[in-house]
Amino acid sequence: MSDTLSIKRISASPSALIPLESLRSGGPVYSKLVDISKCIGCKGCEVACKEWNDLKVEQTSNFGSMQSHQDLSSNTWLLMRFNEVEDGDDLHWLIKKDACLHCEEPGCLFACPAPGAIVQYQNGIVDFNQENCIGCQYCVSGCPFDIPRFDKQTKTVAKCNMCIDRVEAGLEPACVKTCPTNAIEWGIKDDMLAQAEKKVETLRKRGYDHAAVYNPGGVGGTHMMYVVPHGDRLNDYSLPAHPVASPGPLRGLNVFQRIGSYLFGAGVISALAHFLAVGPESPEDHA
Amino acid sequence: MAKSFLRRFTYFERVVHWVVGVTFVLLLLTGLAFAYPSLFWLTTFLGGGSAARVLHPQIGAVFGVGLLLMFGLWVRDMFLDSQDRQWLGAIKHYAAHERDKVPPAGKYNAGQKLFFWVQSLLGIVFVASGLLLWFPEGFGPGLLNSMRLLHYLATLGGGLFLIVHVYLGTIAYPGTARGMIDGKVTPEWARLHHPRWTGERVER
Ligand code: SF4
């Protein structure tokens, strides 16, 4: 059981660059699988998430949609987005289960400057440790899926933790447990991938020619995968087509920070070298 | 007989200089802590990670105001003239202490003038990018990540400048730092470093 909580990466530490997996192996790697075609929009998963994780209830309002909240928040880690798409006379709800995807290469963790504020486990879960969080919100702009949310009161950032306390105890996450149609499944990632392929095949037979698995390679795959009936319309699901873990500016930042550390050293050394070469120059020298 | 001095900086100028100097060092220490995980312990100087995250931008605001005052106080004297351009051509000799080959400088030499302009530019980059990072809500990730990069590049420039500035102002040229402490320099110092400058004479 302890294998499920072996650490893979810790933010702002060497393991953020070189994952620790080479040191340990063999533990189970999990994934959620969300089959959007089976979702009936009941939002039971949202309630289960709030209950299990003891998240504060927020006042909601009718904004002309079936959607419960307008957006995720530090107290709403899961939101079924009811994307409305018109197709001639038809109206489609392209529902998206909006929550952390638990990326294999987590942009949030790479962007984080606080040691130990974000931890990735061998089992695939990416978890925020609020006691180490300094509230800079770099993870928010590091995440390609716009998931982490800042809490103004606690000055820390929060998101779905995949019910890590349940997983640790050998249980499935609360949303999986509660879903009445099995639209959310939980298991070993490889099994879930095989399952997803089968679902895609079935959907294609039913006439969804563009049905696809969403497990984007730009973030090394995710530990919450989707089966999307309209794989050619990821945009309408508000799923980014090409998410990347480390976008250009942050890759540049890494390079310059490395160069910079040498330049700072070189600056000090040059000053000392100059001093030793020509020494101080005071008015008396020219008297 | 009392020794006479030249007044280099007024009280107000010195206060503004040290406000900028002290805030910049605090900003640099905490900024490096955010940039380099191995230096994260530097946040201790401001009371730990969360406190540093709160204080860094607030100190930055003071730094920005100080820099603005500094700009207003000194900008008049910072335009390069033709002798300054010659000075730049002879900068090798200046560094080698070959005084006879260096064209005479006024109150500020060309190096100091350029330092002033670059520092003012860096200040704008620091404050503009810092403001977005201070209140990131509502801005897109692309913009914020670019601001992080820009803020770091300014740090790199500012940090290197600080090293040069402190070195030249202290051990390299004795007598210089006093101009920023009690505001006075000796006539001999002025003749050596700023021959074209005729400062106000003050008695001890
Ligand atoms: S979806 Fe965002 S918050 Fe979740 S692991 Fe990926 S980068 Fe981090």
Side-chain angles (χ1 to χ4, degrees):
Chain A
M1 187 45 58
S2 61
D3 254 353
T4 50
L5 282 185
S6 296
I7 285 167
K8 181 171 198 162
R9 288 186 173 101
I10 298 176
S11 61
S13 84
S15 69
L17 300 174
I18 304 159
L20 297 165
E21 68 196 325
S22 47
L23 303 179
R24 307 191 190 92
S25 64
V29 176
Y30 296 110
S31 179
K32 258 184 221 170
L33 178 60
V34 182
D35 180 354
I36 290 175
S37 70
K38 282 168 87 177
C39 174
I40 54 169
C42 73
K43 302 163 192 146
C45 51
E46 290 187 5
V47 178
C49 177
K50 286 253 177 197
E51 285 203 324
W52 181 264
N53 293 298
D54 241 333
L55 299 172
K56 244 186 272 157
V57 172
E58 291 169 310
Q59 178 71 51
T60 58
S61 60
N62 183 348
F63 56 100
S65 161
M66 279 290 284
Q67 201 171 304
S68 62
H69 303 63
Q70 297 232 28
D71 196 12
L72 292 171
S73 82
S74 54
N75 278 301
T76 302
W77 295 350
L78 164 57
L79 174 62
M80 299 309 275
R81 281 193 193 273
F82 283 62
N83 301 299
E84 295 177 6
V85 177
E86 278 175 62
D87 214 356
D89 282 344
D90 271 356
L91 175 77
H92 295 289
W93 269 325
L94 299 186
I95 298 176
K96 175 201 178 192
K97 180 180 192 283
D98 200 16
C100 175
L101 284 85
H102 297 270
C103 307
E104 183 57 25
E105 284 164 23
C108 56
L109 187 149
F110 297 151
C112 175
I118 304 179
V119 175
Q120 181 185 36
Y121 296 95
Q122 299 284 349
N123 65 13
I125 296 179
V126 177
D127 193 14
F128 285 12
N129 280 331
Q130 276 78 17
E131 69 268 31
N132 293 330
C133 175
I134 62 171
C136 68
Q137 302 166 64
Y138 287 173
C139 57
V140 178
S141 36
C143 171
F145 302 100
D146 187 26
I147 296 300
R149 290 291 183 276
F150 184 61
D151 187 322
K152 285 203 171 73
Q153 251 124 46
T154 62
K155 298 227 189 305
T156 57
V157 177
K159 68 160 189 70
C160 156
N161 63 8
M162 198 73 115
C163 293
I164 189 166
D165 43 354
R166 292 178 57 91
V167 173
E168 184 186 4
L171 299 171
E172 69 280 71
C175 57
V176 178
K177 172 88 181 172
T178 217
C179 178
T181 65
N182 254 354
I184 318 172
E185 292 180 65
W186 172 253
I188 300 298
K189 172 141 183 179
D190 288 343
D191 299 346
M192 290 295 107
L193 261 177
Q195 179 94 334
E197 298 297 347
K198 256 193 265 162
K199 283 170 182 285
V200 165
E201 220 172 279
T202 315
L203 279 169
R204 291 210 169 141
K205 275 195 208 124
R206 277 172 52 196
Y208 291 97
D209 294 338
H210 300 286
V213 184
Y214 189 76
N215 177 35
V219 294
T222 57
H223 295 269
M224 172 165 78
M225 301 182 291
Y226 299 90
V227 171
V228 271
H230 303 281
D232 53 336
R233 291 158 64 175
L234 290 178
N235 231 354
D236 292 337
Y237 286 99
S238 46
L239 286 168
H242 304 287
V244 287
S246 292
L250 292 185
R251 272 204 309 279
L253 181 67
N254 279 336
V255 172
F256 281 114
Q257 280 177 346
R258 203 164 280 207
I259 299 174
S261 57
Y262 292 110
L263 287 181
F264 283 129
V268 173
I269 291 170
S270 314
L272 287 175
H274 180 258
F275 190 69
L276 294 180
V278 296
E281 187 183 29
S282 38
E284 296 89 70
D285 303 343
H286 299 269
Chain B
M1 202 186 89
K3 196 168 162 35
S4 74
F5 289 89
L6 296 174
R7 155 110 38 244
R8 181 116 176 113
F9 294 110
T10 66
Y11 177 64
F12 187 60
E13 284 174 319
R14 282 175 276 143
V15 169
V16 170
H17 169 269
W18 287 113
V19 166
V20 171
V22 170
T23 51
F24 185 73
V25 168
L26 288 175
L27 291 167
L28 187 63
L29 291 178
T30 45
L32 289 176
F34 297 144
Y36 298 100
S38 53
L39 297 179
F40 192 76
W41 58 274
L42 286 173
T43 56
T44 316
F45 288 119
L46 288 185
S50 310
R53 159 66 179 102
V54 172
L55 290 173
H56 180 97
Q58 294 180 356
I59 295 173
V62 179
F63 167 79
V65 172
L67 216 53
L68 204 67
L69 289 173
M70 216 168 181
F71 188 84
L73 281 173
W74 294 344
V75 66
R76 246 178 293 111
D77 296 327
M78 293 299 175
F79 297 97
L80 276 78
D81 58 26
S82 60
Q83 293 203 51
D84 286 328
R85 272 179 275 274
Q86 289 169 16
W87 188 99
L88 281 178
I91 197 158
K92 272 205 316 292
H93 303 298
Y94 178 79
H97 297 179
E98 294 161 359
R99 282 293 155 168
D100 35 338
K101 298 191 189 136
V102 181
K107 177 161 187 188
Y108 302 107
N109 66 39
Q112 292 168 315
K113 289 182 180 179
L114 288 182
F115 186 100
F116 173 87
W117 291 110
V118 175
Q119 152 204 287
S120 303
L121 194 78
L122 289 178
I124 294 172
V125 175
F126 272 129
V127 172
S129 57
L131 269 175
L132 291 192
L133 295 170
W134 192 359
F135 303 107
E137 272 144 290
F139 297 107
L143 179 67
L144 291 170
N145 290 334
S146 306
M147 289 303 120
R148 265 187 84 178
L149 174 58
L150 218 60
H151 208 74
Y152 177 79
L153 289 177
T155 308
L156 188 52
L160 292 175
F161 262 45
L162 182 73
I163 294 169
V164 176
H165 182 68
V166 171
Y167 169 61
L168 294 182
T170 56
I171 57 174
Y173 300 126
T176 307
R178 185 157 177 199
M180 260 313 159
I181 296 169
D182 66 1
K184 294 176 204 144
V185 290
T186 62
E188 296 77 31
W189 178 92
R191 218 172 302 125
L192 173 62
H193 293 288
H194 302 277
R196 286 198 284 140
W197 171 56
T198 48
E200 174 203 350
R201 276 190 180 268
V202 285
E203 298 302 315
R204 173 36 130 189

